[in-house]
Amino acid sequence: MSILLDNRSRVVVQGITGREGSFHTLQMVEYGTQVVAGVTPGKGGEWLEGIPIFDTVAAAVEATGADTSAIFVPAPYAADAIMEAAAAGIQLIVCITEGIPALDMLKVVAFVRSRGARLIGPNCPGLITPGQAKVGIMPGHIHRPGPVGVVSRSGTLTYEVVYSLTQRGIGQSTAVGIGGDMIIGSSFVDILELFERDPYTDIVVMIGEIGGNEEEIAAEYVAGHMTKPVVAFIAGLTAPEGKRMGHAGAIIAGRSGGAKEKIARLKEAGVRVAEHPEQIADIVAGML
Amino acid sequence: MNLYEFQSKQIFAKHGIPIPKGELAQTPEEAEEIAARLGGRVVVKAQVLAGGRGKAGGIRLAETPAEARAAAEAILGMQIKGLTVRRVLVDQAADIAQELYLGIVLDRAGRRLVLMASAAGGVDIEEVAAAAPEKIARAEIDPLLGLQPYQMRQVACDIELDRALLTQFTRIGLGLYEALMRSDATLAEINPLAVTAGGELLALDGKMVVDDNGLYRQPELARAREMLEESPAEREARQYGLSYVKLDGYIGCMVNGAGLAMATMDMTKLFGGAPANFLDIGGGARADRVAAALRIILADPNVRAVLINIFGGITRCDEVARGILEAFAQVPSKVPVVVRLIGTNEEEGRRLLAEANFITARTLSEAARRAVEAAQAGTAAPAV
C-alpha cells in the first residue's frame, strides 16, 4: 500500500526527550506508528510514555529490532546522529532537523550510502503512509489512504496540496518530504523510482522549488523511465536571483535553479505542471 | 552569506594563496594614503556584493596617489545594481600575462564538491560554461578524502598550464580547498588567478559564499555579517528568526513555511498583482514573532495590501491571530489585510479576527485574488 513506511515499521526516535522530539513522538504513536524506542545519550534506562530510552542507537536496535529512525536532535549534533543510525544498521533514517551545515552533509551522505541505508531529509517534514504510520511532523488528519504518491521539497506547501487532494476525496499512498536543504539524502528520482515500482501508487505528485537542478534531473527520469503519470508544481516563479528564500537550498545561483527552466524541462518530459498548488487536485481528479 | 572581495582574499591569504598587497579605504583621503604607502600603480575596486563592477565603472586604475584619490571619489557612493559603494579596496596593480579561473563549487545533485579551472579566466565562468564548456577542466572531490594533489596536476595539464607553474598551482588549489572547508563555504572562487609577467600566480579577485548553516561554528564570519549591507527590515527580521526578502511589488506576504511562502508570492502574480516580499514566520511562531513580521511588512511604503496565509500544523492559528491583533494595536494601519487561516485551532483564530473586520478567505486562490483586488482598489481599511 505504500513505499518505505508501513504499520510494521519499527521506529526509534533520536532526541526523544527534547521538546520537539517528545511532542512528535506522541503524535506519531497516536497516528498508529510503532515507536519502539527512543535515544538520548545519558538518559538510557528512562521511559517516555511506555517507550524505553537508550543511550545509543545500537543498544536500541539490539533490544527492540528498530529498523527506522526519526531524528529530532539539534543541528550541531544531527550529522553525528545520522551516522550513528547508519552505523547501527538502521535502514531508513528520517532527519527532521533544520540547519545542518552542507559540508557535513556531504560526508554524511557518503557514509550512509556506504552502509546501504536510505536517508530522507534533513530539513524535512518526514513521511507518512496514510492510515498506517507517520515518521515526522506533518498533521496526520489531513491525509487519507489512496493511490497518489506525493514527493516534495517543502513542508506546509505539501500539506496544502495533500489537504486539497483529501478534500476532493483523493487519498495518498505515501507522502515524502525530501527536504529543503542543499544537500539531502534522497532526491526526487530516488523517490520517483519507488513510486514507479509500487503497485498501490497510480499517479505521482511532485512539488519542487527554485534552487539546484534535481527537478531537471527528475524530468529526464520521468521521460525515460516512468509509466505512471506525474503532476508537478514548482514554487518560486517570482523569486529574485541570488537571495535565499527561507530554505537553505532555495536559491537561484547565476543561471542555475530558476523556476521557469524547471517548469520547461518538466513539460518537455510530459509532466503536467500546475499553475498553482490548488490546481494539482483538479488535474489529478481528471486523471483518476 | 556572500563575502566581499577583500574578505575572501584575506581568507585566501591565510591559506597560503598569494594576493596583491592592498588595504581598504572608506574615504578618498584614505585611498590616497594607501596608494602612497603601496607605491606605484594601484587599482581601486568598489566593494559591493554584485557582479559586473568593472562594467559599471567600479574598478579603476590609478598611476599616482592623487589619481587613486580621484578614483575613490568617483567610486564611493556610486550605485552598482542598487547597492551603494561604501568601501574601496586599493590593491597594488599587477603586471598580467594571463588570466586563469580557479574555483570550487558545490555540486548539489552529485553531493560533492567540484574543482573547476580554465585558461579562459577573467570573465564570467558561467558564460564560458555555456559558450565553450570544453575550456573548463573539472575534478570531483571525494567527500571522505578531500582534494588530492594529483587532481590539481591533472587539472593543470587539462588547461595546458605552463609546467613551471605546476607546483604553485597545486599549492593554490589545495589552499583554496582548505579555505573553503575551514570557512563552511559552498563556493570559493579566484577569478582571475593571474599569471604575472614575472611568472608568479596571484589571486586578483576572490569570491566566497558561506553556508548560513555553518555560521554557528564560524564566529569570525558571523561577526563579518555585520558588515553586510542589510536593510533595517532585513536586520530586524533576522533578529526575530524570520526569513525576509524584500521584493519590488506591493502585496505584503506573511506565510508559514518557505515553499508555501513562495507559492503564495507566485499566486499574487498569477492574479495580476506583485509580491512586496518573501516572509516565512517559521514553524510554531508565537504572537510576538507574528507581530514583528507584520510590523516589518507594514513599514514598507510600497505595501498596498497584506496577504496572510497560514497552514497550521505546529503553528497554531489562534497564536497567529493574536500576533496580528497585537501588531495592529502597536502600529495602526489603513492597509487592507486578507487572512487565510487553516489547520490547528483555525476556528479560534478566525473568531479572534472576525471581530476586527479583516477580509477572510477559505482557499489560497481566493485569498490571493482578494488581496490583489484590495490593493488595486486601495480602500477597505481594517477597523482596528
Side-chain angles (χ1 to χ4, degrees):
Chain A
M1 317 259 291
S2 61
I3 62 166
L4 296 168
L5 178 74
D6 60 28
N7 53 17
R8 286 162 305 174
S9 302
R10 298 176 67 79
V11 179
V12 52
V13 177
Q14 293 176 250
I16 193 167
T17 53
R19 195 168 58 94
E20 299 282 324
S22 58
F23 174 78
H24 288 291
T25 297
L26 300 180
Q27 296 279 306
M28 288 190 270
V29 169
E30 197 184 24
Y31 195 74
T33 314
Q34 279 200 66
V35 180
V36 297
V39 171
T40 297
K43 297 205 173 167
E46 295 180 20
W47 299 78
L48 177 90
E49 307 272 334
I51 300 163
I53 300 173
F54 299 85
D55 288 316
T56 65
V57 179
V61 169
E62 200 191 326
T64 67
D67 53 21
T68 300
S69 163
I71 297 178
F72 288 93
V73 308
Y77 317 106
D80 182 49
I82 298 170
M83 291 189 283
E84 183 186 359
I90 294 287
Q91 289 302 296
L92 177 65
I93 304 164
V94 183
C95 184
I96 308 302
T97 310
E98 177 173 6
I100 305 176
L103 295 183
D104 288 1
M105 282 312 302
L106 293 178
K107 293 187 175 129
V108 168
V109 170
F111 179 73
V112 167
R113 286 179 178 173
S114 77
R115 293 285 166 147
R118 184 186 296 276
L119 170 66
I120 305 286
N123 190 13
C124 77
L127 71 162
I128 180 168
T129 294
Q132 296 200 45
K134 73 163 189 166
V135 174
I137 60 174
M138 68 289 288
H141 67 90
I142 62 170
H143 300 77
R144 65 178 272 169
V148 179
V150 180
V151 56
S152 170
R153 279 169 67 188
S154 172
T156 49
L157 178 55
T158 316
Y159 310 162
E160 180 85 48
V161 171
V162 164
Y163 179 77
S164 63
L165 286 169
T166 297
Q167 288 271 308
R168 302 188 62 141
I170 303 166
Q172 307 87 41
S173 54
T174 301
V176 184
I178 57 174
D181 275 357
M182 285 190 279
I183 303 299
I184 49 177
S186 298
S187 64
F188 278 121
V189 170
D190 292 331
I191 305 302
L192 289 173
E193 262 174 9
L194 297 175
F195 279 135
E196 173 68 13
R197 287 206 304 263
D198 175 36
Y200 297 96
T201 299
D202 297 336
I203 296 176
V204 181
V205 168
M206 175 182 148
I207 304 160
E209 63 190 32
I210 57 161
N213 63 345
E214 303 251 17
E215 288 84 356
E216 288 88 330
I217 297 170
E220 253 174 65
Y221 177 80
V222 171
H225 301 93
M226 280 193 74
T227 58
K228 296 177 184 177
V230 178
V231 180
F233 173 73
I234 304 294
L237 264 175
T238 53
E241 195 214 307
K243 293 275 188 180
R244 172 181 149 169
M245 296 284 119
H247 289 155
I251 183 163
I252 302 171
R255 297 184 187 197
S256 122
K260 262 190 195 153
E261 183 69 11
K262 292 175 190 291
I263 291 168
R265 292 286 90 75
L266 286 164
K267 283 184 173 168
E268 282 165 21
V271 172
R272 287 284 301 275
V273 182
E275 282 194 313
H276 61 81
E278 287 159 358
Q279 210 182 49
I280 291 176
D282 297 341
I283 297 173
V284 171
M287 287 175 167
L288 284 170
Chain B
M1 179 176 82
N2 296 334
L3 299 188
Y4 289 102
E5 175 194 2
F6 74 91
Q7 292 172 317
S8 304
K9 277 155 72 173
Q10 279 167 6
I11 294 171
F12 293 169
K14 277 188 207 157
H15 292 91
I17 298 170
I19 61 168
K21 273 191 191 145
E23 286 175 54
L24 211 54
Q26 297 195 49
T27 63
E29 294 72 33
E30 281 175 22
E32 184 176 13
E33 285 164 26
I34 294 164
R37 253 199 308 279
L38 292 172
R41 206 153 60 116
V42 296
V43 54
V44 181
K45 306 175 83 177
Q47 297 299 290
V48 281
L49 297 173
R53 291 176 300 167
K55 278 181 205 149
I59 299 177
R60 296 182 191 210
L61 271 170
E63 300 291 341
T64 64
E67 276 186 35
R69 181 194 179 109
E73 220 151 33
I75 296 170
L76 287 165
M78 175 187 269
Q79 295 269 327
I80 299 179
K81 295 195 177 154
L83 299 166
T84 308
V85 181
R86 304 196 186 284
R87 295 182 214 84
V88 291
L89 177 64
V90 183
D91 263 358
Q92 218 160 39
D95 225 343
I96 304 167
Q98 192 194 353
E99 294 188 330
L100 311 173
Y101 169 91
L102 184 65
I104 301 175
V105 301
L106 183 65
D107 170 8
R108 290 170 54 163
R111 279 122 174 113
R112 67 192 157 215
L113 294 161
V114 176
L115 178 128
M116 300 199 296
S118 176
V123 295
D124 183 356
I125 195 65
E126 289 196 327
E127 275 172 30
V128 178
E134 73 285 353
K135 285 189 179 164
I136 299 175
R138 287 162 209 272
E140 292 168 357
I141 302 171
D142 185 311
L144 302 179
L145 296 177
L147 180 67
Q148 300 299 313
Y150 79 85
Q151 294 182 291
M152 286 308 299
R153 295 194 299 272
Q154 182 62 55
V155 163
C157 291
D158 292 345
I159 64 167
E160 294 173 352
L161 186 76
D162 183 345
R163 281 202 184 80
L165 297 170
L166 196 58
T167 310
Q168 273 190 69
F169 184 73
T170 300
R171 204 171 50 231
I172 289 172
L174 295 173
L176 190 64
Y177 177 70
E178 277 303 307
L180 175 140
M181 294 301 290
R182 298 269 172 118
S183 311
D184 265 301
T186 53
L187 179 139
E189 203 174 65
I190 306 172
N191 191 22
L193 174 62
V195 182
T196 66
E200 298 290 321
L201 289 172
L202 195 59
L204 294 191
D205 198 353
K207 182 178 172 187
M208 289 182 92
V209 178
V210 174
D211 177 7
D212 291 355
N213 287 351
L215 285 178
Y216 76 87
R217 59 187 182 192
Q218 300 287 345
E220 264 180 53
L221 293 172
R223 277 195 297 279
R225 173 167 233 166
E226 298 309 316
M227 297 188 77
L228 289 183
E229 280 143 16
E230 264 181 331
S231 65
E234 280 169 342
R235 188 154 302 201
E236 191 188 353
R238 191 158 52 75
Q239 279 157 1
Y240 276 96
L242 304 161
S243 294
Y244 171 83
V245 177
K246 176 152 171 31
L247 303 170
D248 298 331
Y250 52 88
I251 296 176
C253 300
M254 184 176 98
V255 188
N256 66 324
L260 189 58
M262 280 187 273
T264 304
M265 280 160 38
D266 295 350
M267 204 84 155
T268 64
K269 177 104 182 279
L270 196 64
F271 283 90
N277 63 276
F278 166 92
L279 196 156
D280 172 13
I281 59 169
R286 304 298 294 258
D288 60 336
R289 200 177 342 154
V290 173
L294 206 46
R295 277 201 312 272
I296 290 164
I297 292 172
L298 291 170
D300 177 352
N302 293 338
V303 168
R304 302 214 298 267
V306 178
L307 169 51
I308 298 173
N309 182 25
I310 303 295
F311 201 107
I314 317 177
T315 306
R316 288 163 39 192
C317 293
D318 57 325
E319 274 291 325
V320 173
R322 281 191 193 91
I324 295 170
L325 295 174
E326 198 179 293
F328 273 89
Q330 291 163 357
V331 193
S333 167
K334 290 198 187 312
V335 173
V337 177
V338 180
V339 190
R340 186 239 181 179
L341 299 176
I342 202 158
T344 312
N345 296 0
E346 64 179 65
E347 285 83 12
E348 177 66 5
R350 285 211 196 99
R351 193 188 60 75
L352 285 166
L353 294 180
E355 292 160 13
N357 207 19
F358 289 95
I359 305 166
T360 58
R362 289 270 161 183
T363 65
L364 175 52
S365 44
E366 186 197 346
R369 184 173 49 75
R370 300 192 70 166
V372 173
E373 283 167 7
Q376 287 168 355
T379 52
V384 179

